[in-house]
Amino acid sequence: MTHAFEITNQSRKIISELLENLSLEQLNKIPDGFNNNIIWNIGHIIVVQQMLVYLLSDLPMLVSDEMVQKYKRGTKPEQDVTPSEIAEIQFLLFESIAKTEVDYNSNTFKNYKEFTTMTGFNLKNVEDALAFNYYHEAIHTGVIMGIKKFV
């Protein structure tokens, strides 16, 4: 599973560079034809990874309930994100994966509630969740790149 965490960290480095190189206005802008913005997509990938891995394992998530309510599936940006919220997202981008790797290597994920995603993937264990997470993050990275062209 070491390779899985390396891939996720590399993917998140690409996303982190966007955070560092775009203005607050660019991160918050919702271009015509889109229903969310760059920062929402980044917050969403963090929240979904935590839900797929921790929530479905009946373990406490690293993200707050407030963050889950703001970025879970079916939500959209309701207000602009502040610089302090962006700093939190930047921190969680890597901390959430680092903690997951430590917890995985410590055999923390003993119980997993089987879950079928809205795209039809059946996740039977934490390894399936981590594998599906690649797919999910790749989709949202693509959306981020699309939005970037218009901000």
Side-chain angles (χ1 to χ4, degrees):
M1 287 301 297
T2 301
H3 193 62
F5 293 108
E6 289 171 359
I7 291 169
T8 303
N9 273 310
Q10 184 59 37
S11 170
R12 291 192 176 199
K13 283 179 188 172
I14 293 165
I15 294 168
S16 177
E17 288 174 10
L18 285 170
L19 272 174
E20 294 168 2
N21 292 315
L22 294 173
S23 69
L24 183 62
E25 181 182 345
Q26 289 172 306
L27 292 170
N28 279 303
K29 183 174 174 64
I30 303 173
D32 289 340
F34 290 86
N35 62 0
N36 53 47
N37 54 28
I38 290 173
I39 197 64
W40 181 90
N41 278 277
I42 298 171
H44 176 72
I45 66 169
I46 294 167
V47 164
V48 168
Q49 183 270 339
Q50 290 286 291
M51 293 175 77
L52 288 172
V53 175
Y54 287 89
L55 187 65
L56 291 173
S57 296
D58 280 330
L59 295 168
M61 295 185 290
L62 188 59
V63 296
S64 67
D65 290 341
E66 177 184 75
M67 190 169 180
V68 170
Q69 293 307 311
K70 195 171 185 176
Y71 295 106
K72 69 182 179 180
R73 181 175 57 107
T75 63
K76 61 183 181 176
E78 299 295 332
Q79 60 193 29
D80 283 354
V81 175
T82 65
S84 64
E85 290 171 302
I86 290 172
E88 178 185 20
I89 288 170
Q90 178 80 324
F91 171 77
L92 288 170
L93 200 57
F94 293 104
E95 183 61 24
S96 59
I97 296 304
K99 180 173 182 354
T100 302
E101 185 171 16
V102 167
D103 289 346
Y104 182 83
N105 290 332
S106 300
N107 200 27
T108 301
F109 304 105
K110 296 179 190 309
N111 301 311
Y112 194 84
K113 291 181 198 168
E114 192 169 326
F115 176 74
T116 302
T117 70
M118 66 180 280
T119 49
F121 292 94
N122 189 29
L123 311 179
K124 295 179 181 177
N125 53 47
V126 72
E127 289 83 8
D128 289 352
L130 292 169
F132 174 77
N133 192 60
Y134 295 156
Y135 171 80
H136 182 259
E137 288 195 18
I139 288 171
H140 286 280
T141 300
V143 171
I144 290 166
M145 297 305 183
I147 293 172
K148 184 179 176 229
K149 293 177 182 179
F150 299 100
V151 298

